[in-house]
Amino acid sequence: RRRIIRYNMLNNTFYTIRKRTDTEGGVDYRVSLNASHVIYEAHFPGNPLTPGVCIIQMIKELVEAYRDTTFLLRTIKNVKFMKVIDPRIVGELTFALNVTTQDDGMTIVSGIVGEGDTIFSKINLIFEEVK
């Protein structure tokens, strides 16, 4: 039997989970961003913006925590970055995620990343469980 090692690349460094609420179709997470993280020094100096790849990685880690398993991102079906996230202004975000497993075993994650009435991203991703 192969041992699964989970890597939380960004959790508790780039962001911190503040609250988890299980919903009928998935999960909502409330997270805070760490505006002093080294990623923001490079992206971009003096004008920090949350990179899209970090948002996708955060979603992966949040879904792994929700399902208590490790996933491999298979497909980015659709991702829309609608507004930039400056961590100095937007200190906390809500990830409202619908999570379903298809007959073929793939896990579909769709939802929004927002704060209040502001939607920063809309996502639709396909993950495969690592066994």
Side-chain angles (χ1 to χ4, degrees), residues 55-105:
I55 294 168
I56 292 170
Q57 178 64 29
M58 290 167 68
I59 292 166
K60 177 184 178 289
E61 292 178 18
L62 294 171
V63 173
E64 287 176 334
Y66 171 62
R67 286 285 178 90
D68 192 29
T69 192
T70 302
F71 285 111
L72 175 66
L73 177 61
R74 275 292 176 205
T75 305
I76 298 175
K77 286 187 74 173
N78 193 6
V79 174
K80 292 182 182 177
F81 299 111
M82 303 167 76
K83 293 188 76 151
V84 297
I85 301 170
D86 182 334
R88 301 168 303 178
I89 298 168
V90 182
E92 291 194 347
L93 294 168
T94 298
F95 288 73
L97 306 173
N98 295 311
V99 183
T100 57
T101 301
Q102 301 181 133
D103 291 339
D104 64 1

Side-chain angles (χ1 to χ4, degrees), residues 10-19 29-35 40 58 87 90-95:
L10 302 178
N11 189 17
N12 294 321
T13 60
F14 186 77
Y15 73 96
T16 303
I17 297 171
R18 296 292 175 209
K19 182 179 180 184
Y29 280 100
R30 183 86 176 147
V31 305
S32 61
L33 299 175
N34 176 5
Y40 289 120
M58 290 167 68
V90 182
E92 291 194 347
L93 294 168
T94 298
F95 288 73

